[in-house]
Amino acid sequence: MFDNTEGDGRMRIGIIGCGFIGQKRAKAARDAGHPVTLAADLDLARAEALVRSGDDTRATTRWRDLVESDKVDLVVVATTHDMLAPITLALAEASKHVLVEKPAGRTAAELEPIIAASGRTGAVIKVGFNHRFHPAFLKAREIVDSGVMGPLMFIRGRYGHGGRVGYEKEWRFVPEISGGGELIDQGSHLIDLSRWFLGDFTEVFGVTPNFFWDAPVEDNCFLTLQTAERQVAWLHATWTEWKNLFSFEIYGRTGKLHIEGLGGSYGTEKLTFHQMLPEMGPPETTSWEFPFADRSWNLEFEEFLAALAEGRRPIGDIHDAYANLDIVGKVYQGTKP
């Protein structure tokens, strides 16, 4: 439940990892009226810069300071993949709510003690699946839930970018740190979105080639996932998409939704709904464009706060991350459930 230690309706926020994503999460917290009281980063200057950007209190290089502090109620963990699970576990054991960035760990096994700890202490663990909170996806969810598309049949998703000079020397290409390549990176978003619409997958098949980058992890992944009801998600994530691309198509018996773009270099975010007519033929088509700034970070943070206040499971939590990493692991192992 929501624990208002200050008595003014505000949660005191801590940030571990003050890079690009940590800064986005800090802004979302402040925009919602909640103070960032403690920030940690191995680069103290970066933590101090985040603190200076608001009316906050302290910067540190020790993430354990947030575990031990009585000045934070909710902690954002935005580190490299190898540190996500151990930090989240320590926070859960200290009864602190956590918003940990996806994938939340390198393997599903790393999340098991976190799930156990949160069950013991009551700490709520939200995972950063911000793509669910893009306006096109929120509208798509509303349309699917209305029933106008009929039963869902399959999903076709593509997501990719082309990296940058020296990309193969960055931490994402070090398997001990990242846990894998493009599958665990952008592939995790495609898997999560597919599970959000179709449910759990009981059959998993994928290949993870390396076509371009000279590195020990894959730069592409191709997945076929199937539910017990034989609904299918056919997904491709890539680090060799020379023009950034996002495309996600949801097919029902009586309609199709197509989400394109995520803003910025991915192009204007757009949702198109093709409604099949009783006589079939060309469908009725309705489109929405969302050219404004990305608010998914704010909407996801507000959802987490609402879940805490209402005592319910947040949208996209540690159990979703476990299911996601279980699929990732099966693909890496070349096995099926």
Side-chain angles (χ1 to χ4, degrees):
M1 294 291 290
F2 181 82
D3 180 17
N4 176 19
T5 56
E6 295 297 320
D8 60 2
R10 298 190 302 168
M11 292 284 266
R12 300 167 300 176
I13 310 301
I15 306 286
I16 299 176
C18 302
F20 181 69
I21 301 301
Q23 293 168 31
K24 283 183 175 290
R25 295 297 188 187
K27 182 180 184 303
R30 290 168 175 146
D31 287 349
H34 301 270
V36 178
T37 57
L38 188 54
D41 196 283
L42 293 174
D43 182 345
L44 182 60
R46 194 157 65 172
E48 289 174 338
L50 188 146
V51 167
R52 282 197 298 271
S53 66
D55 298 325
D56 308 315
T57 56
R58 184 183 166 206
T60 179
T61 58
R62 295 184 66 254
W63 63 263
R64 289 194 178 276
D65 287 350
L66 282 82
V67 176
E68 299 162 1
S69 174
D70 60 359
K71 302 296 184 183
V72 293
D73 308 303
L74 186 159
V75 180
V76 173
V77 182
T79 66
T80 53
H81 294 175
D82 58 322
M83 293 305 298
L84 294 174
I87 292 174
T88 301
L89 175 59
L91 291 165
E93 289 175 334
S95 301
K96 297 187 187 301
H97 303 310
V98 182
L99 196 168
V100 55
E101 293 304 328
K102 71 87 190 166
R106 294 168 297 180
T107 65
E110 288 187 342
L111 306 192
E112 292 173 358
I114 297 172
I115 293 170
S118 65
R120 290 193 306 271
T121 67
V124 179
I125 314 299
K126 168 84 178 73
V127 179
F129 289 119
N130 72 296
H131 286 44
R132 295 194 189 199
F133 296 89
H134 274 264
F137 274 103
L138 293 174
K139 183 65 177 178
R141 181 79 260 181
E142 175 187 321
I143 292 170
V144 168
D145 290 346
S146 75
V148 297
M149 290 180 60
L152 297 187
M153 302 185 301
F154 63 93
I155 282 171
R156 182 167 57 201
R158 296 175 293 152
Y159 195 4
H161 64 80
R164 49 190 164 264
V165 174
Y167 195 46
E168 76 280 9
K169 297 180 174 63
E170 298 180 14
W171 68 265
R172 291 187 188 279
F173 285 83
V174 181
E176 295 79 14
I177 298 176
S178 64
E182 175 66 330
L183 170 58
I184 202 170
D185 186 23
Q186 290 183 311
S188 286
H189 280 303
L190 290 179
I191 294 168
D192 178 67
L193 291 169
S194 298
R195 285 190 65 255
W196 194 33
F197 285 99
L198 296 184
D200 289 324
F201 295 106
T202 56
E203 294 188 38
V204 175
F205 173 78
V207 293
T208 54
N210 190 315
F211 289 128
F212 180 85
W213 297 101
D214 183 15
V217 298
E218 77 284 353
D219 58 27
N220 277 263
C221 65
F222 302 84
L223 309 179
T224 301
L225 313 175
Q226 185 170 262
T227 69
E229 291 74 32
R230 304 189 69 78
Q231 301 158 299
V232 171
W234 190 33
L235 311 174
H236 175 210
T238 173
W239 283 333
T240 60
E241 187 69 58
W242 306 131
K243 170 61 179 76
N244 289 7
L245 171 76
F246 184 86
S247 173
F248 197 86
E249 299 167 283
I250 306 167
Y251 290 80
R253 286 186 60 83
T254 56
K256 169 191 172 180
L257 292 167
H258 187 191
I259 297 159
E260 303 170 84
L262 292 171
S265 63
Y266 289 91
T268 300
E269 186 171 335
K270 181 179 179 180
L271 171 65
T272 304
F273 177 34
H274 302 286
Q275 177 71 68
M276 190 177 77
L277 301 174
E279 65 272 22
M280 300 187 76
E284 289 184 351
T285 297
T286 308
S287 294
W288 298 264
E289 286 196 355
F290 306 93
F292 40 81
D294 179 9
R295 293 197 66 248
S296 64
W297 310 94
N298 297 73
L299 294 174
E300 184 168 37
F301 192 81
E302 291 164 11
E303 151 60 23
F304 191 17
L305 294 177
L308 292 173
E310 296 163 13
R312 61 170 172 81
R313 178 180 174 182
I315 297 173
D317 68 358
I318 193 68
H319 299 282
D320 292 303
Y322 183 91
N324 198 310
L325 281 172
D326 185 56
I327 292 169
V328 168
K330 287 181 169 68
V331 174
Y332 282 144
Q333 296 161 15
T335 61
K336 294 182 179 181

